[in-house]
Amino acid sequence: MFRTSARLGLVAMIAVLGMTGCGQGKPEAEKPRVATLVPPSASAAPSASATPERPRQRLDDTEADYQALVKPYQKCMKAQGFADEKSGASWAEGDDVPEELRKAQEKCKNFWPLPPWETDPANPEAKDFARDTVKCLKTKGVKYVEVNDDGIGISAGGKDNDSRSIALTGEYLDACQREVAAKK
């Protein structure tokens, strides 16, 4: 009796499995259900065509730090035929930029450093940072200093280009930016 019940159960299970697979060809392999830290949309290894992450300047960068950041950009620009310091060491903008330089910059743009996060237009708090930096500069004796129309940049000297305000802004800007960043 036991054997008959076991056989009937086995036959019934095979029949059920057979019916669920009928007409479907090969059964689709089930994805393993294993805990993972990689989201399903991400690949396990970066692809060879992945664009490099742009470097980002920091408020406390030294000139040597900055020069190290722009080296990959300079190397790319050199590969584009712009080997001289003038055209390969900075980013040129405006209507008077030669088309060849504009094209080379476009090819090398992923190597050009992003601004410090505090002054990046993508940062929703950048305008607050600029306003607080201007307040700090005024406490240091800068008379003519304001936030640019873009809300992020800082202009010194006022409408008459006051040389003392310009000089003091140059002297204290880095310190004020660091001071404001440290408070946040």
Side-chain angles (χ1 to χ4, degrees), residues 125-137:
E125 296 177 5
K127 291 181 179 183
D128 295 335
F129 183 80
R131 189 182 59 250
D132 293 344
T133 301
V134 166
K135 285 179 188 174
C136 174
L137 288 166

Side-chain angles (χ1 to χ4, degrees), residues 137-138 140-146 154-173:
L137 288 166
K138 288 185 176 186
K140 306 276 189 208
V142 181
K143 188 173 182 179
Y144 300 104
V145 64
E146 62 188 8
I154 295 173
S155 296
K159 64 179 178 156
D160 294 327
N161 286 329
D162 180 63
S163 61
R164 178 162 167 71
S165 291
I166 294 169
L168 288 174
T169 298
E171 184 178 339
Y172 294 118
L173 180 62

Side-chain angles (χ1 to χ4, degrees), residues 31 36-47:
K31 292 183 181 179
T36 179
L37 296 177
V38 179
S41 63
S43 62
S47 67

Side-chain angles (χ1 to χ4, degrees), residues 4-184:
T4 307
S5 296
R7 281 189 205 151
L8 285 175
L10 182 59
V11 170
M13 190 165 64
I14 291 172
V16 168
L17 289 174
M19 287 192 313
T20 59
C22 280
Q24 294 180 359
K26 286 187 174 182
E28 190 176 314
E30 253 188 69
K31 292 183 181 179
R33 296 182 185 208
V34 178
T36 179
L37 296 177
V38 179
S41 63
S43 62
S47 67
S49 64
T51 57
E53 186 174 322
R54 285 179 66 185
R56 181 172 296 278
Q57 291 176 271
R58 295 171 36 118
L59 288 177
D60 60 352
D61 277 350
T62 63
E63 182 59 27
D65 294 332
Y66 177 74
Q67 291 305 319
L69 276 180
V70 297
K71 285 249 185 256
Y73 176 76
Q74 290 170 333
K75 184 178 177 183
C76 180
M77 290 296 285
K78 186 174 185 177
Q80 303 303 315
F82 290 90
D84 62 322
E85 276 294 308
K86 187 176 179 186
S87 58
S90 62
W91 188 270
E93 292 182 341
D95 296 336
D96 59 343
V97 176
E99 188 62 27
E100 303 82 36
L101 179 57
R102 190 184 314 272
K103 286 179 180 179
Q105 286 182 157
E106 182 62 31
K107 288 181 180 179
C108 298
K109 70 180 177 184
N110 288 330
F111 298 105
W112 183 251
L114 293 167
W117 179 242
E118 295 84 356
T119 62
D120 192 327
N123 179 356
E125 296 177 5
K127 291 181 179 183
D128 295 335
F129 183 80
R131 189 182 59 250
D132 293 344
T133 301
V134 166
K135 285 179 188 174
C136 174
L137 288 166
K138 288 185 176 186
T139 66
K140 306 276 189 208
V142 181
K143 188 173 182 179
Y144 300 104
V145 64
E146 62 188 8
V147 176
N148 287 349
D149 291 338
D150 67 3
I152 297 169
I154 295 173
S155 296
K159 64 179 178 156
D160 294 327
N161 286 329
D162 180 63
S163 61
R164 178 162 167 71
S165 291
I166 294 169
L168 288 174
T169 298
E171 184 178 339
Y172 294 118
L173 180 62
D174 290 345
C176 279
Q177 286 180 328
R178 288 186 189 116
E179 185 180 313
V180 171
K183 290 179 182 177
K184 296 199 180 252

